[in-house]
Amino acid sequence: EIVLTQSPATLSLSPGERATLSCRASQSVGSYLAWYQQKPGRAPRLLIYDASSRATGIPARFSGSGSGTDFTLTISSLEPEDFALYYCQQRSNWPLTFGGGTKVEIK
Amino acid sequence: EVQLLESGGGLVQPGGSLRLSCATSGFTFSSYAMSWVRQAPGKGLEWVSAISGPGGGIYSADSVRGRFTVSRDNSKNTLYLLMDSLRAEDTAIYYCAKGGGSGPFDYWGQGTLVTVSS
């Protein structure tokens, strides 16, 4: 099973600041890495797929990078609605796995 | 507009069974893999099971293999999850999601809560 480790667990930032979230895989997943945003009481929403492609309707301030085992989600300038939980997920191997999540909170 | 709507959740005793349904619309259902993903209270996301578009490919997490069965009815655009031998640790919100393996989870339902308790 591919283990995805997200860091940091919590990121405390102010609106307008840049957020950098990390996801590390226990073995290569190629580019088959996605990022999701989840707000309390809501279903997750796809942000980035295949490491760097933005999903439909996702603002340009969200970007993804990386390949192999190291991936980054960057939010260039935090908007109030961006404070949420973020998960990475791989689809390179079965079983499909998610990271433990990074909470982006208001400082 | 793509829509996914789960139903069938509720309270069940340990050892009991439950069947979840996910009615879909807005896309060609038979062309896409579908998955179930769950989230225990206050915890992260856990993929449960996936099924290919035609239904011939089925994959499940070790934690549910042999107890949960995913299926689909492409004539009804509906995904199912039959859950047997339920345990307390199966308590979670169960989401159906479009995708799995061949693509990311690009659309999600609102989730249905399953509570396993005596």
Side-chain angles (χ1 to χ4, degrees):
Chain A
E1 170 175 322
I2 296 177
V3 176
L4 299 179
T5 302
Q6 291 188 240
S7 61
T10 304
L11 201 50
S12 298
L13 295 168
S14 300
E17 289 193 296
R18 182 184 190 89
T20 303
L21 288 66
S22 174
C23 178
R24 177 163 291 178
S26 59
Q27 65 188 76
S28 177
V29 299
S31 294
Y32 294 130
L33 194 286
W35 292 92
Y36 301 86
Q37 177 193 68
Q38 188 178 34
K39 296 180 179 180
R42 303 291 298 274
R45 177 175 71 146
L46 176 66
L47 298 176
I48 301 289
Y49 65 96
D50 294 349
S52 60
S53 296
R54 266 190 307 276
T56 303
I58 301 303
R61 63 180 181 274
F62 291 92
S63 64
S65 63
S67 66
T69 61
D70 288 292
F71 300 86
T72 301
L73 173 70
T74 301
I75 311 171
S76 59
S77 179
L78 283 163
E79 296 288 340
E81 61 267 29
D82 299 337
F83 292 91
L85 263 169
Y86 293 84
Y87 294 96
C88 59
Q89 177 253 329
Q90 66 82 22
R91 64 179 182 89
S92 172
N93 282 46
W94 301 100
L96 308 182
T97 50
F98 289 89
T102 290
K103 182 181 181 181
V104 178
E105 65 175 23
I106 300 177
K107 186 174 181 179
Chain B
E1 179 191 8
V2 172
Q3 292 190 332
L4 307 172
L5 183 63
E6 302 95 337
S7 61
L11 175 64
V12 61
Q13 292 188 338
S17 298
L18 212 54
R19 190 181 83 155
L20 306 183
S21 300
C22 174
T24 75
S25 61
F27 65 103
T28 305
F29 182 70
S30 60
S31 295
Y32 294 92
M34 296 291 295
S35 294
W36 289 96
V37 177
R38 68 184 180 183
Q39 187 168 37
K43 301 298 184 183
L45 300 169
E46 179 189 16
W47 169 77
V48 172
S49 196
I51 184 168
S52 64
I58 290 176
Y59 307 87
S60 294
D62 287 347
S63 58
V64 306
R65 189 172 296 127
R67 300 187 300 121
F68 290 10
T69 303
V70 63
S71 63
R72 63 193 297 159
D73 185 337
N74 286 347
S75 69
K76 295 182 178 179
N77 296 335
T78 302
L79 176 72
Y80 303 100
L81 184 68
L82 176 61
M83 304 184 293
D84 293 320
S85 303
L86 282 160
R87 306 167 180 167
E89 55 264 36
D90 296 318
T91 294
I93 296 172
Y94 285 74
Y95 295 102
C96 75
K98 175 176 170 284
S102 55
F105 302 124
D106 54 358
Y107 292 94
W108 297 66
Q110 87 290 346
T112 187
L113 177 63
V114 173
T115 303
V116 184
S117 175
S118 55

